[in-house]
C-alpha cells in the first residue's frame, strides 16, 4: 500500500506534488468526524446554511485562477477549459444555496387529518470523483449534498487530488463548519473501498468506469446503501442528410476532442446518412487536421494531453492497424500526447466502434435511413448522451424519443448544465445529478399523518 500519491503534469511528465494516501483507518476517523459535524449543520437555520454556501461560492470566485492553474498542472486541461471548470464550481454552489430554503415537502389530502412530507438529510455522503473533470464533478455531488444538510467525505482520483484539497481549504476559509467537507486522497481499492463499505456512509456518489461502478453497486447492496452512478458512454453524433452539413462537420471535432476525448459524453460515434457521407468526410478532414494540440497554458490550444501513460497505451490499443483514418497533429517528446483521430471503414461492431476508448478517437459509420440510424445509435451497452443534426423538427422529436440516452442535443453538442438534470440510461449509470431536483437526491422523504379526529393536541 503506497504511503503517498505522485501527481504528474500530463503535459511534461514532471512531478507536481506528492500527497499522503488515506488508509481505511483514516476513512473511519473522517466518517466519525463528519457525522458529528453533520448533526449541527442539519440543525442550522436554512438561511444560515444558504449564506455559508454563498460565501463558499465567493471564496471559489476569488480563487478561480488559482484553481484553474492547479487543474492545468494536475489534469492537463487547457487553461480556457480549466477557468470554465472553476467558474462552474462557483455557479453550482450559488445554485445549490438557492435551493436550501426551497427544499419543500408536500401536504397531501387525506381523510381524517393532515398528511405532510418532510425532506430530511441522509447524513454523511461519500463522493468518489474522477480524474477527467476532477474539480467540477466533485462539486456536482458536494454542493447539493451540503445544501440538503449532509456532510461530505470526498475521495478524489489518485492522479488529481490537488483541486479537491484546495476546495476543502476554501470551504473552511468561507466559514463552513470543520469536518463538514473532508477530502481523503487515496487509492480506489483502499480508501475508495473503505468509503463504500463504511456503515456510517449513507450514500455513495461515484463517477467513473462502468466496470468499477458495477463493483461499487454490488458492495453497496450489502447495506442497501443509496447510490448515484455516472458511468461510461459511447455517444452517437447522428447527422441526417437534410442537416446543415457544414455546421455539423465543423462542430464534430470538438464534440469528441474536448478534454482530449476524456469525457463520458464525447460524441465518438459519428453516424452519417449515406447520401451525405462523402461530403461530410470532405468537410470533416480539414476541421480535424486544424485542431490546435499543445501546451495547455497557451490560450490558443484546443486540446491537451491524456492524463497518463496508461491511458495513452489504452487509447493506442483501440486503433486498428491499417484502418482508414483522418489524423491531426500532436506534440512529440515528453507528455502523454495522442493526435486527434477519426477512423473510417471499420465494422460497426468493432471494439473501437462500440467500446468506450476515453481518448481523442472517433469512428464514422454510414447509415441508410432514420430506422437504421436509431439502430446504430442504440447498438452499445451505454446510454449517456448524443446529438442529432436535422432540419426536420418531427424527425428531431422522433429520434430524441427513440435514442436510449439520458441527455440529447439537437443541432448542437451541449450536454451538461448545472441547472438541468444529467445522467444515463442502461450501463451509463443510475440516478440523476444537477438540475432543480439535485438536492432531493440527498434526502429521505418522511411521511407524517396528523389526525384531526382524535384527542386535541
Amino acid at each position: 500500500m503506497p504511503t503517498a500519491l505522485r501527481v504528474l503534469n500530463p503535459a511534461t511528465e514532471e512531478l507536481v506534488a506528492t500527497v499522503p494516501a488515506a488508509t481505511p483507518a483514516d476513512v473511519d476517523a473522517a466518517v466519525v468526524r463528519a457525522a458529528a459535524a453533520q448533526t449541527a449543520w442539519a440543525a442550522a437555520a436554512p438561511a444560515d446554511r444558504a449564506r455559508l454556501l454563498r460565501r463558499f461560492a465567493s471564496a471559489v470566485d476569488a480563487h478561480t485562477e488559482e484553481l484553474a492553474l492547479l487543474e492545468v498542472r494536475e489534469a492537463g486541461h487547457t487553461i480556457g477549459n480549466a477557468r470554465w471548470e472553476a467558474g462552474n464550481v462557483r455557479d453550482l454552489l450559488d445554485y445549490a444555496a438557492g435551493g436550501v430554503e426551497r427544499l419543500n415537502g408536500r401536504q397531501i389530502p387525506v381523510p381524517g387529518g393532515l398528511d405532510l412530507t418532510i425532506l430530511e438529510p441522509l447524513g454523511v455522503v461519500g463522493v468518489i470523483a474522477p480524474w477527467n473533470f476532477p474539480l467540477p464533478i466533485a462539486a456536482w455531488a458536494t454542493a447539493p449534498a451540503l445544501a440538503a444538510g449532509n456532510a461530505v467525505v470526498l475521495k478524489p482520483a489518485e492522479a488529481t487530488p490537488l483541486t479537491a484539497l484546495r476546495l476543502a481549504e476554501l470551504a473552511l476559509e468561507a466559514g463552513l463548519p470543520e469536518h463538514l467537507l473532508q477530502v481523503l486522497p487515496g487509492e480506489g481499492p483502499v480508501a475508495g473501498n473503505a468509503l463504500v463499505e463504511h456503515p456510517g456512509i449513507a450514500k455513495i456518489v461515484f463517477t467513473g468506469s462502468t466496470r468499477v461502478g458495477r463493483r461499487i453497486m454490488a458492495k453497496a447492496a450489502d447495506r442497501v446503501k443509496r447510490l448515484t452512478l455516472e458511468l461510461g458512454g459511447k455517444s452517437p453524433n447522428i447527422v441526417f442528410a437534410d442537416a446543415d452539413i457544414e455546421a455539423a462537420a465543423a462542430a464534430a471535432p470538438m464534440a469528441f476532442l474536448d478534454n482530449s476525448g476524456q469525457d463520458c459524453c464525447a460524441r465518438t460515434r459519428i453516424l452519417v446518412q449515406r447520401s451525405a457521407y462523402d461530403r461530410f468526410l470532405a468537410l470533416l478532414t480539414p476541421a480535424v487536421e486544424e485542431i490546435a494540440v499543445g501546451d495547455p497554458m497557451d490560450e490558443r490550444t484546443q486540446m491537451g494531453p491524456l492524463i497518463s501513460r496508461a491511458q495513452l497505451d489504452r487509447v493506442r490499443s483501440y486503433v486498428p492497424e491499417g484502418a482508414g483514418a483522418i489524423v491531426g497533429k500532436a506534440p512529440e517528446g515528453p507528455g502523454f500526447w495522442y493526435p486527434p483521430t477519426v477512423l473510417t471503414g471499420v465494422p460497426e461492431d468493432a471494439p473501437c466502434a462500440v467500446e468506450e476508448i476515453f481518448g481523442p478517437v472517433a469512428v464514422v459509420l454510414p447509415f441508410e435511413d432514420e430506422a437504421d440510424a436509431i439502430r446504430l445509435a442504440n447498438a452499445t451497452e451505454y446510454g449517456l448522451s448524443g446529438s442529432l443534426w436535422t432540419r426536420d423538427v418531427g424527425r428531431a422529436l422522433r429520434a430524441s424519443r427513440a435514442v436510449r440516452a439520458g441527455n440529447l442535443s439537437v443541432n448542437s453538442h451541449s450536454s451538461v448544465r448545472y441547472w438541468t438534470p444529467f445522467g444515463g440510461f442502461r450501463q451509463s449509470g443510475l440516478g440523476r445529478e444537477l438540475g432543480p431536483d439535485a438536492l432531493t437526491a440527498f434526502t429521505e422523504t418522511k411521511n407524517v399523518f396528523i389526525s384531526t379526529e382524535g384527542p386535541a393536541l
Side-chain angles (χ1 to χ4, degrees):
M1 183 188 303
T3 57
L5 305 175
R6 288 166 49 85
V7 181
L8 300 181
N9 184 327
T12 65
E13 302 185 52
E14 295 174 342
L15 181 66
V16 175
T18 56
V19 176
T23 66
D26 295 328
V27 171
D28 183 61
V31 173
V32 171
R33 293 191 298 264
Q38 188 272 330
T39 300
W41 177 246
D48 291 337
R49 293 209 309 269
R51 175 177 51 80
L52 286 171
L53 287 173
R54 291 190 180 98
R55 285 177 58 179
F56 188 8
S58 295
V60 170
D61 187 50
H63 293 83
T64 294
E65 190 69 9
E66 175 195 350
L67 290 166
L69 291 174
L70 271 180
E71 194 87 324
V72 171
R73 293 177 68 204
E74 72 173 352
H77 292 188
T78 62
I79 185 62
N81 278 10
R83 287 175 180 143
W84 178 89
E85 290 161 26
N88 183 257
V89 174
R90 172 203 60 218
D91 295 343
L92 181 54
L93 284 165
D94 267 330
Y95 182 75
V100 174
E101 294 171 286
R102 296 172 180 81
L103 195 58
N104 303 318
R106 295 181 295 172
Q107 186 269 308
I108 302 172
V110 293
L114 182 69
D115 197 88
L116 305 172
T117 64
I118 302 169
L119 301 181
E120 297 186 348
L122 297 172
V124 182
V125 174
V127 177
I128 302 176
W131 49 257
N132 62 323
F133 291 104
L135 187 55
I137 292 182
W140 288 6
T142 297
L146 293 175
N150 301 281
V152 172
V153 178
L154 165 63
K155 193 205 85 66
E158 292 94 316
T160 54
L162 302 182
T163 49
L165 288 166
R166 185 63 181 127
L167 204 60
E169 291 173 352
L170 292 175
L172 282 175
E173 292 173 18
L176 267 69
E178 190 177 14
H179 307 313
L180 189 69
L181 170 58
Q182 297 174 78
V183 174
L184 295 181
E187 289 195 311
V190 181
N193 187 65
L195 200 60
V196 171
E197 294 185 342
H198 199 288
I201 294 291
K203 178 174 182 174
I204 289 289
V205 180
F206 170 77
T207 300
S209 72
T210 297
R211 175 179 55 83
V212 175
R214 291 190 192 107
R215 292 208 300 261
I216 289 174
M217 193 171 185
K219 288 179 179 292
D222 286 342
R223 294 185 177 274
V224 197
K225 188 168 294 187
R226 282 113 181 97
L227 286 174
T228 295
L229 301 175
E230 199 275 279
L231 307 175
K234 190 70 174 178
S235 299
N237 177 11
I238 307 171
V239 182
F240 290 97
D242 71 333
D244 183 335
I245 302 299
E246 288 81 3
M254 291 313 296
F256 77 92
L257 296 175
D258 188 47
N259 200 33
S260 307
Q262 299 168 132
D263 181 354
C264 48
C265 292
R267 272 63 164 179
T268 54
R269 304 173 72 237
I270 307 173
L271 314 180
V272 184
Q273 195 157 12
R274 193 176 295 277
S275 59
Y277 185 85
D278 290 342
R279 182 178 169 217
F280 181 88
L281 278 187
L283 293 165
L284 180 66
T285 298
V288 170
E289 293 175 344
E290 292 166 6
I291 294 295
V293 183
D295 181 3
M297 285 300 297
D298 188 331
E299 301 276 357
R300 297 167 296 180
T301 296
Q302 295 170 277
M303 188 184 113
L306 295 168
I307 187 67
S308 66
R309 179 71 56 189
Q311 190 63 21
L312 178 59
D313 291 341
R314 172 184 167 84
V315 172
R316 284 175 174 155
S317 74
Y318 272 100
V319 179
E321 287 189 22
I326 303 166
V327 182
K329 302 177 182 68
E332 297 179 356
F336 309 121
W337 303 98
Y338 196 85
T341 302
V342 178
L343 302 174
T344 60
V346 299
E348 64 182 57
D349 60 350
C352 61
V354 295
E355 296 178 16
E356 185 175 44
I357 299 174
F358 226 58
V361 178
V363 300
V364 182
L365 300 171
F367 66 85
E368 302 299 333
D369 53 21
E370 187 174 322
D372 196 33
I374 300 305
R375 179 190 65 79
L376 275 174
N378 290 335
T380 76
E381 65 180 2
Y382 300 110
L384 186 57
S385 61
S387 296
L388 310 164
W389 293 80
T390 178
R391 289 186 170 97
D392 185 329
V393 175
R395 171 177 284 154
L397 292 172
R398 288 193 305 273
S400 294
R401 295 294 298 271
V403 174
R404 298 287 295 161
N407 308 270
L408 294 170
S409 298
V410 176
N411 296 330
S412 77
H413 294 302
S414 177
S415 286
V416 185
R417 299 177 179 86
Y418 61 81
W419 60 94
T420 60
F422 179 74
F425 286 20
R426 300 188 291 180
Q427 299 289 315
S428 283
L430 181 69
R432 293 294 180 269
E433 297 183 282
L434 307 175
D437 299 324
L439 272 65
T440 61
F442 295 95
T443 64
E444 291 276 27
T445 299
K446 177 177 286 184
N447 195 78
V448 179
F449 171 74
I450 303 172
S451 173
T452 56
E453 297 179 352
L457 295 177

